[in-house]
Amino acid sequence: MSKVKAAILGSGNIGTDLMIKLGRSEILELTAMIGIDPESDGLRRAKEIGCRTFAGGLKQFLEEAPELADIVFDATSAKTHIRHAKMLREAGKLAIDLTPAAVGPYVIPSANLNAHMDADNINLITCGGQATIPIVHAINRVHPVSYTEIVATISSASAGPGTRANIDEFTETTSHGLEQIGGAKKGKAIIIMNPAEPPILMRDTVYALVEGQIDEAAVSRSITDTVSYIQSYVPGYRLRTEPIYDGNKVTVFLEVEGAGDYLPKYSGNLDIMTASAVKVAEEFAKNRISQSAV
């Protein structure tokens, strides 16, 4: 099967972890790594595996070799992606945005990926959103969710400058995602950075109020199906306990352990973003290949 060419924009920790995951893809071919620091470990590693590297940012890539990629992953920052999104759209590239910039439609692979196959910019919301919104969506498939609140707890050691700079965007974008994709009438998101040593794994709590009398068996089955699907591309994603029911309240505890590709295993919050980005890009690539074969 021919592969679809892809580039990574951002040679930091997330971009480098993404590079390793793309190396295992059977349908995506990483051709370029784009950064702004010529001494970064990401650009060095990319060069070692045969990728063309660009230390002059997206502008240099688009001027010198735009034919190298049809899909560009943006692992920079929310503010920077605003500018990148316009440049990539004008160049005819599909942008998969790992920042909370929210330029394109929110996408969760287990919930609404197929609805946005014609989009030119895909937003992966946030790490907390990728972990918790599918659970709200699973509950909402059985009973309407009137209110949901999620708390995403990550290790402080896993929060780099980009994560810390985007806290406001995290809470706003995740809250909107709980409503727009999860289906809740009202959603609220909170993030906690835990400084414990040794660093803890990413842990998420989902609290939902549903309408009507809860069918506990149906809700649990819907949640389990969703968890199984996510584990197909994020193996370290799991329930910490069975869902807890109290009247019309459902509480779900989650844990995300990273794959340990480039980042430590406690960085499940970053791993779920890079793994989801690869999953989305692979589905787009399959769709593009199938359309070209018609």
Side-chain angles (χ1 to χ4, degrees), residues 144-185:
V145 174
S146 58
Y147 175 77
T148 191
E149 186 171 308
I150 71 97
V151 180
T153 303
I154 65 173
S155 164
S156 182
S158 72
T163 301
R164 296 174 189 276
N166 291 326
I167 294 297
D168 289 343
E169 289 86 352
F170 173 94
T171 54
E172 183 176 348
T173 299
T174 308
S175 297
H176 288 163
L178 290 165
E179 298 168 0
Q180 294 181 18
I181 301 179
K185 292 180 179 176

mmCIF file of all heavy atoms in Angstrom, residues 144-185:
data_model
loop_
_atom_site.group_PDB
_atom_site.id
_atom_site.type_symbol
_atom_site.label_atom_id
_atom_site.label_comp_id
_atom_site.label_asym_id
_atom_site.label_seq_id
_atom_site.Cartn_x
_atom_site.Cartn_y
_atom_site.Cartn_z
ATOM 1 N N PRO A 144 -29.414 11.382 28.237
ATOM 2 C CA PRO A 144 -28.957 12.763 28.083
ATOM 3 C C PRO A 144 -28.196 13.224 29.335
ATOM 4 O O PRO A 144 -28.631 12.977 30.463
ATOM 5 C CB PRO A 144 -30.257 13.547 27.897
ATOM 6 C CG PRO A 144 -31.239 12.545 27.386
ATOM 7 C CD PRO A 144 -30.871 11.247 28.031
ATOM 8 N N VAL A 145 -27.054 13.881 29.126
ATOM 9 C CA VAL A 145 -26.247 14.386 30.234
ATOM 10 C C VAL A 145 -26.572 15.873 30.422
ATOM 11 O O VAL A 145 -26.348 16.681 29.521
ATOM 12 C CB VAL A 145 -24.741 14.202 29.948
ATOM 13 C CG1 VAL A 145 -23.906 14.860 31.040
ATOM 14 C CG2 VAL A 145 -24.403 12.714 29.837
ATOM 15 N N SER A 146 -27.095 16.214 31.576
ATOM 16 C CA SER A 146 -27.473 17.609 31.819
ATOM 17 C C SER A 146 -26.280 18.436 32.274
ATOM 18 O O SER A 146 -26.205 19.640 31.992
ATOM 19 C CB SER A 146 -28.592 17.675 32.850
ATOM 20 O OG SER A 146 -28.192 17.050 34.052
ATOM 21 N N TYR A 147 -25.340 17.809 32.971
ATOM 22 C CA TYR A 147 -24.151 18.539 33.449
ATOM 23 C C TYR A 147 -23.008 17.556 33.612
ATOM 24 O O TYR A 147 -23.208 16.419 34.042
ATOM 25 C CB TYR A 147 -24.430 19.199 34.805
ATOM 26 C CG TYR A 147 -23.220 19.873 35.406
ATOM 27 C CD1 TYR A 147 -22.782 21.120 34.938
ATOM 28 C CD2 TYR A 147 -22.479 19.258 36.417
ATOM 29 C CE1 TYR A 147 -21.661 21.736 35.474
ATOM 30 C CE2 TYR A 147 -21.352 19.869 36.964
ATOM 31 C CZ TYR A 147 -20.947 21.105 36.492
ATOM 32 O OH TYR A 147 -19.829 21.713 37.013
ATOM 33 N N THR A 148 -21.825 18.000 33.234
ATOM 34 C CA THR A 148 -20.644 17.173 33.466
ATOM 35 C C THR A 148 -19.482 18.038 33.893
ATOM 36 O O THR A 148 -19.372 19.203 33.484
ATOM 37 C CB THR A 148 -20.268 16.354 32.210
ATOM 38 O OG1 THR A 148 -19.274 15.392 32.557
ATOM 39 C CG2 THR A 148 -19.718 17.247 31.109
ATOM 40 N N GLU A 149 -18.662 17.461 34.734
ATOM 41 C CA GLU A 149 -17.476 18.165 35.220
ATOM 42 C C GLU A 149 -16.321 17.177 35.201
ATOM 43 O O GLU A 149 -16.466 16.039 35.668
ATOM 44 C CB GLU A 149 -17.722 18.665 36.644
ATOM 45 C CG GLU A 149 -16.607 19.525 37.199
ATOM 46 C CD GLU A 149 -17.024 20.152 38.534
ATOM 47 O OE1 GLU A 149 -18.108 20.781 38.579
ATOM 48 O OE2 GLU A 149 -16.286 19.980 39.514
ATOM 49 N N ILE A 150 -15.192 17.584 34.649
ATOM 50 C CA ILE A 150 -14.042 16.679 34.614
ATOM 51 C C ILE A 150 -12.867 17.346 35.321
ATOM 52 O O ILE A 150 -12.700 18.569 35.286
ATOM 53 C CB ILE A 150 -13.667 16.273 33.168
ATOM 54 C CG1 ILE A 150 -13.040 17.439 32.369
ATOM 55 C CG2 ILE A 150 -14.870 15.729 32.433
ATOM 56 C CD1 ILE A 150 -11.539 17.468 32.318
ATOM 57 N N VAL A 151 -12.069 16.506 35.967
ATOM 58 C CA VAL A 151 -10.837 16.979 36.586
ATOM 59 C C VAL A 151 -9.696 16.148 36.020
ATOM 60 O O VAL A 151 -9.677 14.923 36.173
ATOM 61 C CB VAL A 151 -10.865 16.839 38.121
ATOM 62 C CG1 VAL A 151 -9.543 17.345 38.714
ATOM 63 C CG2 VAL A 151 -12.041 17.600 38.706
ATOM 64 N N ALA A 152 -8.785 16.799 35.315
ATOM 65 C CA ALA A 152 -7.618 16.120 34.748
ATOM 66 C C ALA A 152 -6.414 16.438 35.625
ATOM 67 O O ALA A 152 -6.039 17.602 35.776
ATOM 68 C CB ALA A 152 -7.379 16.596 33.315
ATOM 69 N N THR A 153 -5.828 15.403 36.209
ATOM 70 C CA THR A 153 -4.650 15.581 37.060
ATOM 71 C C THR A 153 -3.436 15.012 36.346
ATOM 72 O O THR A 153 -3.425 13.832 35.979
ATOM 73 C CB THR A 153 -4.837 14.866 38.408
ATOM 74 O OG1 THR A 153 -6.014 15.365 39.031
ATOM 75 C CG2 THR A 153 -3.642 15.115 39.312
ATOM 76 N N ILE A 154 -2.442 15.860 36.135
ATOM 77 C CA ILE A 154 -1.232 15.408 35.453
ATOM 78 C C ILE A 154 -0.027 15.676 36.340
ATOM 79 O O ILE A 154 -0.070 16.513 37.253
ATOM 80 C CB ILE A 154 -1.053 16.122 34.093
ATOM 81 C CG1 ILE A 154 -0.812 17.634 34.286
ATOM 82 C CG2 ILE A 154 -2.259 15.878 33.197
ATOM 83 C CD1 ILE A 154 -0.458 18.366 33.011
ATOM 84 N N SER A 155 1.033 14.956 36.084
ATOM 85 C CA SER A 155 2.272 15.206 36.803
ATOM 86 C C SER A 155 2.838 16.556 36.394
ATOM 87 O O SER A 155 2.899 16.879 35.207
ATOM 88 C CB SER A 155 3.277 14.095 36.483
ATOM 89 O OG SER A 155 4.573 14.505 36.854
ATOM 90 N N SER A 156 3.268 17.327 37.363
ATOM 91 C CA SER A 156 3.886 18.613 37.053
ATOM 92 C C SER A 156 5.118 18.422 36.176
ATOM 93 O O SER A 156 5.416 19.255 35.311
ATOM 94 C CB SER A 156 4.282 19.326 38.356
ATOM 95 O OG SER A 156 4.846 20.585 38.085
ATOM 96 N N ALA A 157 5.790 17.283 36.362
ATOM 97 C CA ALA A 157 6.998 17.016 35.569
ATOM 98 C C ALA A 157 6.687 16.825 34.092
ATOM 99 O O ALA A 157 7.580 16.946 33.250
ATOM 100 C CB ALA A 157 7.712 15.778 36.118
ATOM 101 N N SER A 158 5.439 16.503 33.777
ATOM 102 C CA SER A 158 5.075 16.275 32.372
ATOM 103 C C SER A 158 4.555 17.540 31.698
ATOM 104 O O SER A 158 4.229 17.513 30.513
ATOM 105 C CB SER A 158 3.994 15.185 32.279
ATOM 106 O OG SER A 158 2.748 15.679 32.748
ATOM 107 N N ALA A 159 4.468 18.626 32.443
ATOM 108 C CA ALA A 159 3.907 19.870 31.903
ATOM 109 C C ALA A 159 5.037 20.799 31.490
ATOM 110 O O ALA A 159 5.672 21.438 32.333
ATOM 111 C CB ALA A 159 3.013 20.544 32.940
ATOM 112 N N GLY A 160 5.286 20.872 30.209
ATOM 113 C CA GLY A 160 6.327 21.746 29.703
ATOM 114 C C GLY A 160 5.831 23.167 29.538
ATOM 115 O O GLY A 160 4.695 23.497 29.902
ATOM 116 N N PRO A 161 6.657 24.034 28.966
ATOM 117 C CA PRO A 161 6.276 25.449 28.798
ATOM 118 C C PRO A 161 4.995 25.622 27.982
ATOM 119 O O PRO A 161 4.180 26.492 28.287
ATOM 120 C CB PRO A 161 7.484 26.042 28.057
ATOM 121 C CG PRO A 161 8.616 25.131 28.376
ATOM 122 C CD PRO A 161 8.023 23.765 28.514
ATOM 123 N N GLY A 162 4.811 24.784 26.953
ATOM 124 C CA GLY A 162 3.619 24.904 26.128
ATOM 125 C C GLY A 162 2.356 24.622 26.914
ATOM 126 O O GLY A 162 1.363 25.351 26.814
ATOM 127 N N THR A 163 2.377 23.543 27.704
ATOM 128 C CA THR A 163 1.214 23.183 28.516
ATOM 129 C C THR A 163 0.894 24.295 29.509
ATOM 130 O O THR A 163 -0.259 24.707 29.675
ATOM 131 C CB THR A 163 1.478 21.872 29.270
ATOM 132 O OG1 THR A 163 1.755 20.838 28.320
ATOM 133 C CG2 THR A 163 0.291 21.479 30.124
ATOM 134 N N ARG A 164 1.918 24.807 30.180
ATOM 135 C CA ARG A 164 1.707 25.840 31.190
ATOM 136 C C ARG A 164 1.213 27.148 30.572
ATOM 137 O O ARG A 164 0.429 27.874 31.173
ATOM 138 C CB ARG A 164 3.013 26.070 31.967
ATOM 139 C CG ARG A 164 3.455 24.845 32.752
ATOM 140 C CD ARG A 164 4.823 25.031 33.395
ATOM 141 N NE ARG A 164 5.299 23.775 33.957
ATOM 142 C CZ ARG A 164 4.982 23.309 35.157
ATOM 143 N NH1 ARG A 164 4.210 24.036 35.935
ATOM 144 N NH2 ARG A 164 5.438 22.149 35.580
ATOM 145 N N ALA A 165 1.655 27.419 29.344
ATOM 146 C CA ALA A 165 1.234 28.663 28.683
ATOM 147 C C ALA A 165 -0.196 28.594 28.167
ATOM 148 O O ALA A 165 -0.800 29.623 27.870
ATOM 149 C CB ALA A 165 2.178 28.974 27.525
ATOM 150 N N ASN A 166 -0.748 27.372 28.089
ATOM 151 C CA ASN A 166 -2.060 27.191 27.463
ATOM 152 C C ASN A 166 -3.144 26.783 28.453
ATOM 153 O O ASN A 166 -4.145 26.181 28.067
ATOM 154 C CB ASN A 166 -1.969 26.141 26.344
ATOM 155 C CG ASN A 166 -1.161 26.626 25.161
ATOM 156 O OD1 ASN A 166 -1.187 27.809 24.836
ATOM 157 N ND2 ASN A 166 -0.431 25.735 24.520
ATOM 158 N N ILE A 167 -2.968 27.073 29.731
ATOM 159 C CA ILE A 167 -3.943 26.642 30.739
ATOM 160 C C ILE A 167 -5.331 27.232 30.462
ATOM 161 O O ILE A 167 -6.350 26.532 30.525
ATOM 162 C CB ILE A 167 -3.485 27.043 32.159
ATOM 163 C CG1 ILE A 167 -2.218 26.275 32.527
ATOM 164 C CG2 ILE A 167 -4.591 26.785 33.175
ATOM 165 C CD1 ILE A 167 -2.389 24.782 32.593
ATOM 166 N N ASP A 168 -5.392 28.525 30.145
ATOM 167 C CA ASP A 168 -6.695 29.143 29.876
ATOM 168 C C ASP A 168 -7.359 28.494 28.666
ATOM 169 O O ASP A 168 -8.567 28.202 28.676
ATOM 170 C CB ASP A 168 -6.533 30.646 29.625
ATOM 171 C CG ASP A 168 -6.182 31.404 30.897
ATOM 172 O OD1 ASP A 168 -6.373 30.842 31.989
ATOM 173 O OD2 ASP A 168 -5.716 32.554 30.792
ATOM 174 N N GLU A 169 -6.558 28.256 27.612
ATOM 175 C CA GLU A 169 -7.112 27.604 26.418
ATOM 176 C C GLU A 169 -7.559 26.178 26.743
ATOM 177 O O GLU A 169 -8.553 25.693 26.199
ATOM 178 C CB GLU A 169 -6.072 27.581 25.289
ATOM 179 C CG GLU A 169 -5.785 28.947 24.671
ATOM 180 C CD GLU A 169 -4.720 29.721 25.431
ATOM 181 O OE1 GLU A 169 -4.320 29.272 26.519
ATOM 182 O OE2 GLU A 169 -4.296 30.776 24.921
ATOM 183 N N PHE A 170 -6.813 25.503 27.634
ATOM 184 C CA PHE A 170 -7.183 24.136 28.020
ATOM 185 C C PHE A 170 -8.577 24.096 28.623
ATOM 186 O O PHE A 170 -9.435 23.296 28.216
ATOM 187 C CB PHE A 170 -6.168 23.580 29.039
ATOM 188 C CG PHE A 170 -6.561 22.245 29.615
ATOM 189 C CD1 PHE A 170 -6.097 21.063 29.055
ATOM 190 C CD2 PHE A 170 -7.427 22.158 30.705
ATOM 191 C CE1 PHE A 170 -6.485 19.834 29.568
ATOM 192 C CE2 PHE A 170 -7.820 20.935 31.223
ATOM 193 C CZ PHE A 170 -7.349 19.768 30.646
ATOM 194 N N THR A 171 -8.821 24.948 29.611
ATOM 195 C CA THR A 171 -10.111 24.887 30.293
ATOM 196 C C THR A 171 -11.251 25.296 29.365
ATOM 197 O O THR A 171 -12.316 24.676 29.366
ATOM 198 C CB THR A 171 -10.106 25.785 31.542
ATOM 199 O OG1 THR A 171 -9.712 27.112 31.167
ATOM 200 C CG2 THR A 171 -9.112 25.284 32.568
ATOM 201 N N GLU A 172 -11.016 26.307 28.556
ATOM 202 C CA GLU A 172 -12.077 26.776 27.665
ATOM 203 C C GLU A 172 -12.379 25.759 26.566
ATOM 204 O O GLU A 172 -13.539 25.415 26.309
ATOM 205 C CB GLU A 172 -11.677 28.116 27.038
ATOM 206 C CG GLU A 172 -12.742 28.715 26.146
ATOM 207 C CD GLU A 172 -12.347 30.085 25.618
ATOM 208 O OE1 GLU A 172 -11.364 30.654 26.114
ATOM 209 O OE2 GLU A 172 -13.033 30.587 24.704
ATOM 210 N N THR A 173 -11.316 25.261 25.915
ATOM 211 C CA THR A 173 -11.513 24.320 24.817
ATOM 212 C C THR A 173 -12.087 22.997 25.312
ATOM 213 O O THR A 173 -12.989 22.427 24.683
ATOM 214 C CB THR A 173 -10.168 24.073 24.093
ATOM 215 O OG1 THR A 173 -9.708 25.321 23.562
ATOM 216 C CG2 THR A 173 -10.325 23.075 22.965
ATOM 217 N N THR A 174 -11.601 22.498 26.446
ATOM 218 C CA THR A 174 -12.120 21.233 26.966
ATOM 219 C C THR A 174 -13.587 21.368 27.360
ATOM 220 O O THR A 174 -14.401 20.467 27.089
ATOM 221 C CB THR A 174 -11.287 20.754 28.169
ATOM 222 O OG1 THR A 174 -9.905 20.736 27.815
ATOM 223 C CG2 THR A 174 -11.711 19.359 28.607
ATOM 224 N N SER A 175 -13.935 22.472 27.991
ATOM 225 C CA SER A 175 -15.335 22.686 28.385
ATOM 226 C C SER A 175 -16.253 22.695 27.170
ATOM 227 O O SER A 175 -17.326 22.073 27.173
ATOM 228 C CB SER A 175 -15.475 24.007 29.147
ATOM 229 O OG SER A 175 -14.744 23.981 30.350
ATOM 230 N N HIS A 176 -15.830 23.369 26.102
ATOM 231 C CA HIS A 176 -16.649 23.387 24.888
ATOM 232 C C HIS A 176 -16.751 21.992 24.281
ATOM 233 O O HIS A 176 -17.803 21.591 23.780
ATOM 234 C CB HIS A 176 -16.043 24.353 23.869
ATOM 235 C CG HIS A 176 -16.211 25.792 24.251
ATOM 236 N ND1 HIS A 176 -15.475 26.809 23.684
ATOM 237 C CD2 HIS A 176 -17.015 26.380 25.156
ATOM 238 C CE1 HIS A 176 -15.836 27.958 24.221
ATOM 239 N NE2 HIS A 176 -16.769 27.733 25.122
ATOM 240 N N GLY A 177 -15.652 21.238 24.330
ATOM 241 C CA GLY A 177 -15.672 19.884 23.787
ATOM 242 C C GLY A 177 -16.614 18.962 24.544
ATOM 243 O O GLY A 177 -17.263 18.097 23.957
ATOM 244 N N LEU A 178 -16.701 19.141 25.858
ATOM 245 C CA LEU A 178 -17.633 18.328 26.651
ATOM 246 C C LEU A 178 -19.071 18.543 26.191
ATOM 247 O O LEU A 178 -19.889 17.615 26.229
ATOM 248 C CB LEU A 178 -17.495 18.693 28.130
ATOM 249 C CG LEU A 178 -16.193 18.267 28.819
ATOM 250 C CD1 LEU A 178 -16.018 18.982 30.152
ATOM 251 C CD2 LEU A 178 -16.169 16.749 29.018
ATOM 252 N N GLU A 179 -19.339 19.756 25.740
ATOM 253 C CA GLU A 179 -20.699 20.065 25.288
ATOM 254 C C GLU A 179 -20.894 19.706 23.814
ATOM 255 O O GLU A 179 -21.859 19.038 23.446
ATOM 256 C CB GLU A 179 -20.974 21.556 25.516
ATOM 257 C CG GLU A 179 -20.917 21.956 26.992
ATOM 258 C CD GLU A 179 -20.910 23.457 27.204
ATOM 259 O OE1 GLU A 179 -20.954 24.196 26.205
ATOM 260 O OE2 GLU A 179 -20.830 23.904 28.361
ATOM 261 N N GLN A 180 -19.974 20.127 22.963
ATOM 262 C CA GLN A 180 -20.164 19.963 21.519
ATOM 263 C C GLN A 180 -20.008 18.514 21.059
ATOM 264 O O GLN A 180 -20.696 18.070 20.151
ATOM 265 C CB GLN A 180 -19.175 20.850 20.765
ATOM 266 C CG GLN A 180 -19.432 22.341 20.970
ATOM 267 C CD GLN A 180 -18.461 23.202 20.191
ATOM 268 O OE1 GLN A 180 -17.814 22.757 19.255
ATOM 269 N NE2 GLN A 180 -18.342 24.452 20.575
ATOM 270 N N ILE A 181 -19.076 17.766 21.666
ATOM 271 C CA ILE A 181 -18.886 16.363 21.270
ATOM 272 C C ILE A 181 -19.470 15.420 22.313
ATOM 273 O O ILE A 181 -20.167 14.469 21.982
ATOM 274 C CB ILE A 181 -17.394 16.042 21.073
ATOM 275 C CG1 ILE A 181 -16.794 16.952 20.000
ATOM 276 C CG2 ILE A 181 -17.221 14.575 20.676
ATOM 277 C CD1 ILE A 181 -15.321 16.718 19.755
ATOM 278 N N GLY A 182 -19.174 15.696 23.584
ATOM 279 C CA GLY A 182 -19.692 14.819 24.632
ATOM 280 C C GLY A 182 -21.210 14.837 24.697
ATOM 281 O O GLY A 182 -21.839 13.852 25.082
ATOM 282 N N GLY A 183 -21.806 15.973 24.325
ATOM 283 C CA GLY A 183 -23.261 16.063 24.314
ATOM 284 C C GLY A 183 -23.858 16.608 25.586
ATOM 285 O O GLY A 183 -25.092 16.705 25.704
ATOM 286 N N ALA A 184 -23.026 16.993 26.563
ATOM 287 C CA ALA A 184 -23.559 17.537 27.811
ATOM 288 C C ALA A 184 -24.170 18.923 27.563
ATOM 289 O O ALA A 184 -23.680 19.707 26.762
ATOM 290 C CB ALA A 184 -22.444 17.648 28.852
ATOM 291 N N LYS A 185 -25.241 19.205 28.275
ATOM 292 C CA LYS A 185 -25.851 20.531 28.134
ATOM 293 C C LYS A 185 -24.971 21.606 28.754
ATOM 294 O O LYS A 185 -24.977 22.761 28.317
ATOM 295 C CB LYS A 185 -27.241 20.520 28.779
ATOM 296 C CG LYS A 185 -28.224 19.629 28.008
ATOM 297 C CD LYS A 185 -29.594 19.607 28.644
ATOM 298 C CE LYS A 185 -30.534 18.712 27.808
ATOM 299 N NZ LYS A 185 -31.862 18.568 28.434
#
